[in-house]
Amino acid sequence: VMGNTMAMTVRERTKEVGTLKAIGFKRHTIAGLFLGESIFVSIIGAGIGIGAAHARYLADRGATVVVNELPSSLARAEAVRDDIRAAGGTAIAVGARIGDEDAAASLVETTITEFGRIDILVNNAGLLRDNLLFKMTEEDWDVVMNVHLRGAFLMTRAAQKYMIEAKWGRIVSMSSVSALGNRGQANYAAAKAGLQGFTKTLAIELGKFGVTANAIAPGFIETEMTDQLSDDLRKTYLSGIPAGRFESSQPTSWAGP
């Protein structure tokens, strides 16, 4: 993989830089991938959708990837791992409920045990429990907060100490344009807005140690999660998108040069 990357033309390499920057990684991180440094990435919620696409994409460019999913959905993570290995990359699959403190800590420790370090953490786990506020249950609220916000907190808290020791790290959390508010998504919008505040605080606290934090807020992406939307909601959301369609989950389709 490294040999193929090094053989790129300047124009091709420039496009790759633009693509990777669009998913939240800085130029010096990209340089590490191009120059043959081993980059170890843990992607949370990577069995399907955006997470799976990022796992394959980064592994194809030389990163060693830890693919996480719920224990009950581990087969999804294993499928992504197998795809990466079949393409010549390096990956492991780990089942863990990242909203659980012990499970989150264990996932990070597994990464350290297997590879000795964790360079990049991608907080990507997510789910939907959409409903209008007067119909939303406490369980609907709690499960969304637990996965999106508590999970990101627990994973980041466990990983940051190793990044600080290394004096280098990248924390990327998947937010959403829904953080600004969206009908039927009081729980999801609050969680995604919380991730943005969490990320800004991480940047303030960890930047002096060489650890950066970024949040990405994409619009609607075609994934298994958005497939759960009702026809009425899908039509409502599409009416507000100038292109009249949801975007593909493949990074190369929504990242330009």
Side-chain angles (χ1 to χ4, degrees):
V1 174
M2 282 300 122
N4 291 339
T5 303
M6 293 299 290
M8 285 181 172
T9 66
V10 171
R11 184 172 182 177
E12 288 170 336
R13 190 174 299 181
T14 300
K15 186 170 184 179
E16 290 295 289
V17 168
T19 300
L20 285 167
K21 283 176 71 177
I23 44 177
F25 302 111
K26 299 294 185 182
R27 184 175 297 275
H28 49 274
T29 306
I30 299 162
L33 291 174
F34 283 141
L35 296 176
E37 293 181 14
S38 295
I39 300 295
F40 297 90
V41 185
S42 182
I43 303 181
I44 311 307
I48 57 176
I50 294 173
H54 286 172
R56 295 186 180 99
Y57 186 84
L58 292 171
D60 188 48
R61 281 142 187 85
T64 295
V65 181
V66 178
V67 185
N68 160 255
E69 259 294 348
L70 288 167
S72 59
S73 303
L74 183 58
R76 293 174 174 174
E78 291 173 335
V80 175
R81 174 204 63 193
D82 292 345
D83 287 348
I84 290 171
R85 290 178 176 177
T90 304
I92 62 171
V94 181
R97 290 184 175 275
I98 50 91
D100 177 82
E101 181 178 6
D102 292 338
S106 178
L107 175 53
V108 171
E109 291 305 317
T110 297
T111 304
I112 299 301
T113 299
E114 289 286 331
F115 304 117
R117 69 184 207 253
I118 177 170
D119 299 316
I120 300 171
L121 171 67
V122 181
N123 292 311
N124 179 74
L127 50 74
L128 295 175
R129 291 291 186 274
D130 292 356
N131 221 328
L132 295 175
L133 182 62
F134 77 95
K135 294 181 179 180
M136 187 172 290
T137 66
E138 290 183 17
E139 182 182 2
D140 291 336
W141 179 272
D142 289 344
V143 70
V144 170
M145 291 296 172
N146 188 61
V147 172
H148 291 269
L149 205 49
R150 176 180 167 86
F153 159 67
L154 292 174
M155 286 301 306
T156 302
R157 188 179 65 175
Q160 56 85 32
K161 63 180 179 180
Y162 295 105
M163 295 179 177
I164 288 175
E165 288 174 3
K167 295 182 172 54
W168 199 93
R170 301 291 178 264
I171 299 166
V172 181
S173 297
M174 296 303 297
S175 182
S176 168
V177 294
S178 292
L180 299 177
N182 205 24
R183 180 179 174 85
Q185 290 193 315
N187 49 4
Y188 186 79
K192 291 304 191 183
L195 272 176
Q196 293 184 18
F198 177 64
T199 298
K200 286 177 181 273
T201 303
L202 292 178
I204 294 168
E205 294 185 4
L206 303 180
K208 63 183 177 181
F209 300 108
V211 179
T212 66
N214 289 276
I216 307 169
F220 286 94
I221 308 293
E222 287 285 6
T223 66
E224 287 82 349
M225 192 164 74
T226 53
D227 285 345
Q228 300 173 31
L229 295 172
S230 68
D231 290 341
D232 287 343
L233 273 178
R234 179 173 284 265
K235 288 177 182 177
T236 298
Y237 296 151
L238 284 172
S239 68
I241 300 174
R245 59 178 172 79
F246 290 174
E247 189 54 271
S248 166
S249 63
Q250 299 305 311
T252 51
S253 73
W254 46 276

